[in-house]
Amino acid sequence: MIFGHISSSDSYQHLLTHPIWKRCFDWLKTVDANTPAGIQKLLGDDVVVNVHGYDTLPEAGCRFESHRHVLDLQYCIRGGELIAWQQASRLLPAGPYEEVSDIQFYQPAPAKTVLHMLPGNFAIFHPSDAHRPKCRDGLHPDTFKLVIKIKLGCLKAEAG
């Protein structure tokens, strides 16, 4: 898991040697509160963005999840939320892995780390990183954010 703020390039500078990460972070710098909601392809089917919002929930209404074939780059545009983190290997699955949507949900468990997502904050979750988004932060009733899904296979290519 990587956590940072778009204005602090030292937290992600090491990623920018790869053209996919460079494209993602360059695009993030163009996002603002007027960015329309919806799904768009940044780099074909390999890098897909979902811009959306929702009301945040009490922790008990949120579930840990992880993915096997994509990385999540989550970015807060407006509002705020808490995203809990835990190693997926330390959690018990809650049902089978959903292959079509590439998601595994987990039984409730305490978080090791809680990220406070505010405008400009980003978090990158790898397949080993279970994350529990949508949690109310006590300051904001909702969040407007985006999630960039990056297929793992395309990141294994040589950096350009």
Side-chain angles (χ1 to χ4, degrees):
M1 184 261 302
I2 298 171
F3 179 68
H5 194 277
I6 195 69
S7 67
S8 300
S9 63
D10 60 333
S11 61
Y12 60 89
Q13 190 69 37
H14 64 286
L15 298 173
L16 301 182
T17 59
H18 195 290
I20 290 176
W21 286 115
K22 181 164 178 21
R23 172 75 171 107
C24 290
F25 280 96
D26 286 349
W27 187 80
L28 281 181
K29 292 175 185 172
T30 70
V31 172
D32 62 27
N34 297 314
T35 300
I39 296 174
Q40 62 180 292
K41 295 180 179 185
L42 259 185
L43 292 170
D45 291 332
D46 289 337
V47 182
V48 178
V49 181
N50 182 6
V51 179
H52 60 287
Y54 48 75
D55 293 334
T56 55
L57 303 169
E59 182 181 315
C62 305
R63 300 190 291 176
F64 274 105
E65 63 184 58
S66 68
H67 314 286
R68 294 182 184 174
H69 304 291
V70 297
L71 290 161
D72 271 4
L73 190 166
Q74 300 202 17
Y75 180 79
C76 182
I77 300 169
R78 184 181 70 239
E81 71 178 324
L82 300 177
I83 299 180
W85 172 87
Q86 177 62 275
Q87 288 178 310
S89 62
R90 293 179 179 248
L91 300 174
L92 297 172
Y97 166 71
E98 298 174 21
E99 191 158 343
V100 172
S101 53
D102 186 28
I103 196 163
Q104 174 68 62
F105 289 108
Y106 296 92
Q107 294 180 18
K112 279 291 202 186
T113 302
V114 178
L115 308 175
H116 194 182
M117 299 292 286
L118 295 170
N121 283 124
F122 68 87
I124 299 171
F125 298 104
H126 299 82
S128 60
D129 298 319
H131 48 287
R132 182 176 60 206
K134 300 184 182 181
C135 295
R136 189 169 293 144
D137 69 359
L139 301 172
H140 306 92
D142 58 12
T143 191
F144 185 62
K145 66 187 280 185
L146 63 83
V147 179
I148 301 176
K149 301 274 187 187
I150 305 170
K151 287 188 179 176
L152 287 175
C154 70
L155 289 172
K156 293 179 182 174
E158 287 293 317

